[in-house]
Amino acid sequence: MKRIGFIGLGIMGAAMASHLMDAGYELTVYNRTKAKADALVAAGAHYCDSPAACAHGQDAVITIVGYPKDVEEVYLGAEGILHSLDAGAYTADMTTSSPALAERIYAEAKKRGIHALDAPVTGGDMGARNATLNILVGGDEDAFLAMQPVFAAMGKNIIYEGPAGAGQKTKAANQIAIAGALAGACEAFAYARAAGLDVEKVFASISGGAAASFQMSNMVRMALDGNFNPGFMIKHFVKDMTIGAETGREYGIDLPVLEQVLHEARALEERGGGADGTQSLLKYYA
Ligand code: NAP
C-alpha cells in the first residue's frame, strides 16, 4: 500500500494527512475549501477537485469530513469515491458518523470488491497533531489488518471492534462518556463560583483527586482561562450526541445524562456558539 487519497483537511484531517506523508505514503488530497490543502500541496501532496478524482487509482482512501451527510456525499454521491476506486482498494472513514451509514457504505463497497472500514478516532486535535489517536475500527478483520500500517502512522491505540458499524458504535459510547464527564466538571465549577469560592483554588484542590478527568484538566482549564477556541467544536458534539441518543433509542436504552447534555449543547449552538470548543459548555451554566 503506497498511494493514499485523503479527503477532509480540517482540524483533524490536515494533521493526520501530514503524518501519512511523513511515513512515506504518496498522498492525493481533496477538501471542500481548497485553501486548506495548500500546506500539504506545498509539502508534496497532489490535489484533485472531487472525491472521485482523488480516489482514482489509489490503494486506499481515508476520509474525515464533518457530518454523516458529508460522508454520504463523499462515498455515495455522483462524484463519490466508490464510483472511481478499483476493486481491491480500501477505504477508512474516520469521521464520527452514523453506524447505519457505515453499514450501508460497507455493503455498497462490497458489491464493487472494495474493502470499507469505519475507523472513527478519539484523542482530539492533540491526538491528531501528535499521531497518538485511538482508532476504533469496524469492518472485515482482514481489511483492518491490511490497513494497520496506515493507521499506525496516525495513532497508537488501534483496536478492531467488530463488523461494519462497530467502530462508530464504540465512538458513540466514547461520546456518551465525554458528555457526562464534561458536564460534571462544568457543573462543579459553576457550583464553586456560585458558592463564592476561588475557582483557582478549587481547580488546584480537585483536579488531581478522585474527580480528576481529561475533561476537567484540559477542557474546563481552557474555559477558566477564557479560551473557547475549538479543538472539538460544539456543533460536532451535538452531531455525535444526536447519533448516541438516536441509536440508544433504537437499542432500547434510556440515556438521561446524554439527553440533558445534548439539550445544553444545542442551546449553545442555537445562540451562535456552534464553532466554539466543547469547553464552552461551561457558559451554559453561567
Ligand atoms: P473540521 O475542522 O470541520 O474538518 C472537516 C473538514 O472536512 C473541513 O475542512 C471540511 O471542509 C471538510 N469537508 C466537509 N464536508 C466535505 C465534503 N463533502 N467534501 C470535502 N470536504 C468536506 O472538523 P474536525 O474537527 O477536523 O472534525 C472532523 C470529524 O472528526 C468530525 O466528524 C468530528 O466530529 C470528528 N472528530 C473531531 C475531533 C476533534 O477533536 N476535532 C476528535 C475526534 C473526532 P471545509 O474546510 O470547506 O469546511
Side-chain angles (χ1 to χ4, degrees):
M1 198 165 304
K2 283 175 72 107
R3 292 165 51 86
I4 295 185
F6 199 108
I7 298 174
L9 303 171
I11 294 174
M12 299 294 286
M16 292 159 69
S18 75
H19 295 312
L20 291 175
M21 287 185 74
D22 291 345
Y25 292 103
E26 194 183 311
L27 225 63
T28 301
V29 297
Y30 169 68
N31 191 67
R32 187 171 52 198
T33 303
K34 189 179 177 190
K36 290 192 187 170
D38 287 352
L40 287 160
V41 170
H46 310 282
Y47 187 84
C48 284
D49 273 323
S50 73
C54 181
H56 182 71
Q58 308 296 341
D59 300 319
V61 176
I62 306 280
T63 53
I64 180 157
V65 288
Y67 294 85
K69 67 174 170 42
D70 300 316
V71 174
E72 188 174 2
E73 179 188 319
V74 160
Y75 279 82
L76 304 169
E79 294 278 308
I81 63 181
L82 292 190
H83 297 303
S84 69
L85 268 179
D86 294 331
Y90 293 81
T91 66
D93 180 34
M94 305 184 84
T95 316
T96 305
S97 177
S98 102
L101 179 58
E103 288 165 9
R104 205 174 124 211
I105 289 170
Y106 171 87
E108 288 298 323
K110 201 168 184 71
K111 285 184 203 161
R112 297 165 162 84
I114 296 164
H115 311 284
L117 297 168
D118 48 299
V121 299
T122 79
D125 57 326
M126 231 182 313
R129 277 199 304 277
N130 299 333
T132 54
L133 291 167
N134 304 290
I135 306 180
L136 324 168
V137 189
D140 292 339
E141 194 163 11
D142 52 358
F144 163 75
L145 293 171
M147 285 291 283
Q148 180 87 20
V150 177
F151 292 142
M154 300 180 281
K156 286 273 180 272
N157 185 30
I158 302 157
I159 295 186
Y160 176 65
E161 312 289 352
Q168 294 297 354
K169 291 174 188 172
T170 308
K171 174 74 190 198
N174 182 78
Q175 300 309 79
I176 292 165
I178 285 184
L182 175 61
C186 288
E187 273 197 11
F189 284 89
Y191 172 88
R193 271 186 184 147
L197 294 171
D198 177 335
V199 290
E200 285 308 324
K201 285 188 179 169
V202 175
F203 189 86
S205 305
I206 74 171
S207 64
S213 69
F214 178 94
Q215 296 303 320
M216 188 180 291
S217 303
N218 294 280
M219 308 320 292
V220 171
R221 182 64 265 169
M222 278 198 270
L224 294 176
D225 291 339
N227 177 358
F228 297 101
N229 292 332
F232 179 45
M233 289 182 265
I234 282 282
K235 64 182 182 181
H236 285 157
F237 196 31
V238 167
K239 174 244 322 168
D240 296 1
M241 289 191 286
T242 303
I243 291 168
E246 286 176 358
T247 51
R249 281 193 280 279
E250 211 176 288
Y251 308 150
I253 184 175
D254 283 336
L255 299 167
V257 175
L258 177 74
E259 295 283 2
Q260 172 59 27
V261 183
L262 175 54
H263 166 79
E264 296 170 9
R266 275 192 182 136
L268 292 172
E269 194 181 20
E270 279 160 17
R271 282 183 225 160
D276 287 345
T278 49
Q279 67 274 26
S280 65
L281 197 72
L282 189 64
K283 288 182 181 171
Y284 178 85
Y285 296 94

